[in-house]
Amino acid sequence: MSALTVVLALLAALSNAAASVLQRRAAAQDAAGAEPGRPVRWLLRLLRDPYWVGGAALLAVTTVLQAAALAVGSLAVVQPLMATELMFTLVVGGAVFHRRPDGRTWLAFGALAVGLALFLGAAAPSAGRDTASPGRWAVAGAVLLCAVVVLAVAGRLTRGAPRAALFGSASAVAFGATAALLKEFTGRLPQGVGAVLTQWPPYATAAVGAISFLLLQSALRAGTLAASQPALTLGDALTSVALGWALFGEQIALGMRVLPEVIGIALIGVGSVGLAGAPSVHGTWDTASAATGDGPGASEAGNGPGTSEAGNGPGFAPRDVEGPGAGRPAPGPEDRKEGDA
């Protein structure tokens, strides 16, 4: 695991986290105007939102950084390193929404990140091949397509946090596939750019990337970042580890390392369970009222360490705890529709 691979992957994680936060802000702000069954019109309206456009630009930056990391490192190392996106999401989200996530959310995200880091450190995935063996992409593509369709259909049948998590999972599988295709594309570049452009990987990468992007928009539109981001980040990492093994021959260490790997998986499970019940998942940390109601200074004013917890569960940001009529407008349409957007 080279230092360059780690730096590029961490920069990609930061860029991706910022992209998700900015596009989530745009989606939350626009929730009131969303029309059921009109996703194209909704996307066209978002094209005029500077937050959404900024997030889309950062997704392009993420793709470039991710491709560079995959060119010098293995899929099973680069994608799981991007799980640091979880922590970056909380930091960037706190700045954009002017709200502090509650302590339980921080602990759950921390358990997820530490568990994945422990698993990766113990598993020590090998580099593998630069390109996949002939014929393996057909089988892998069919499995990935089925997984994405099942998760997306299940997401359409639910509402609120579960919907965001299911669309996040579908997006995760698609982004994992996109990363594997990027790995295949960069692995063929020694043949020459002209030769690679006559082959299928660059066009498959663009198509699957577009699908991933649309699924991400559905996840961000459906619910809070605390509901969608863990499913997106962890699903992407685990999908990439599986594809690294199946397509590129990247191996995971076993033997004595199984114990820390199991502990890492257990921490991931504990973090997932803790996050499922965290107030931020079902609360107003990154809803439209959070995006527009408070300024950076107002969210902290007059609130000591205990004030944020008064009468509203653990750790919600200050302005939410003073009652419906105190210093904050009554919930608007966007608040009522947030779960169903």
Side-chain angles (χ1 to χ4, degrees):
M1 188 187 300
S2 70
L4 180 59
T5 301
V6 173
V7 170
L8 288 170
L10 291 178
L11 288 174
L14 175 58
S15 177
N16 212 36
S20 293
V21 169
L22 291 177
Q23 292 201 321
R24 168 60 188 166
R25 187 206 185 282
Q29 182 64 24
D30 192 68
E35 300 176 51
R38 301 288 182 91
V40 175
R41 183 175 297 181
W42 178 71
L43 280 173
L44 290 175
R45 189 165 57 251
L46 285 179
L47 284 172
R48 299 191 295 270
D49 189 306
Y51 284 95
W52 191 90
V53 173
L58 283 173
L59 280 177
V61 173
T62 300
T63 302
V64 173
L65 290 169
Q66 184 183 35
L70 288 168
V72 297
S74 70
L75 183 67
V77 169
V78 172
Q79 290 306 105
L81 270 174
M82 291 186 67
T84 53
E85 177 185 340
L86 289 172
M87 307 306 291
F88 290 140
T89 297
L90 291 185
V91 175
V92 178
V96 170
F97 291 102
H98 315 308
R99 301 283 180 93
R100 294 189 308 271
D102 56 274
R104 184 171 180 176
T105 301
W106 275 106
L107 288 173
F109 271 46
L112 289 169
V114 171
L116 193 58
L118 183 60
F119 172 78
L120 281 177
S126 62
R129 298 181 296 273
D130 290 333
T131 59
S133 300
R136 292 199 175 186
W137 266 113
V139 177
V143 173
L144 291 167
L145 177 62
C146 289
V148 169
V149 170
V150 168
L151 289 167
V153 170
R156 293 283 297 175
L157 299 176
T158 57
R159 289 290 182 270
R163 183 174 193 173
L166 285 166
F167 272 118
S169 298
S171 180
V173 175
F175 273 120
T178 304
L181 287 165
L182 271 175
K183 177 70 175 175
E184 181 75 24
F185 173 66
T186 57
R188 296 187 183 207
L189 282 178
Q191 302 174 20
V193 175
V196 174
L197 290 178
T198 65
Q199 301 169 12
W200 62 269
Y203 309 104
T205 303
V208 177
I211 293 171
S212 306
F213 178 78
L214 293 175
L215 288 169
L216 174 63
Q217 301 312 304
S218 296
L220 296 174
R221 186 183 179 190
T224 67
L225 285 169
S228 62
Q229 205 69 5
L232 173 61
T233 306
L234 296 174
D236 187 349
L238 295 175
T239 300
S240 297
V241 169
L243 289 176
W245 168 78
L247 294 173
F248 303 105
E250 299 171 0
Q251 300 297 319
I252 292 177
L254 298 174
M256 295 296 293
R257 300 192 180 206
V258 169
L259 179 58
E261 290 172 4
V262 170
I263 294 174
I265 293 173
L267 281 173
I268 291 173
V270 169
S272 300
V273 171
L275 193 62
S280 290
V281 175
H282 308 285
T284 58
W285 170 56
D286 60 351
T287 56
S289 60
T292 59
D294 297 318
S299 64
E300 302 287 339
N303 289 281
T307 312
S308 64
E309 296 189 15
N312 201 19
F316 268 119
R319 293 290 279 254
D320 280 344
V321 302
E322 298 176 9
R328 178 174 184 268
E334 63 269 29
D335 294 312
R336 292 194 298 272
K337 294 186 179 183
E338 173 56 26
D340 293 327

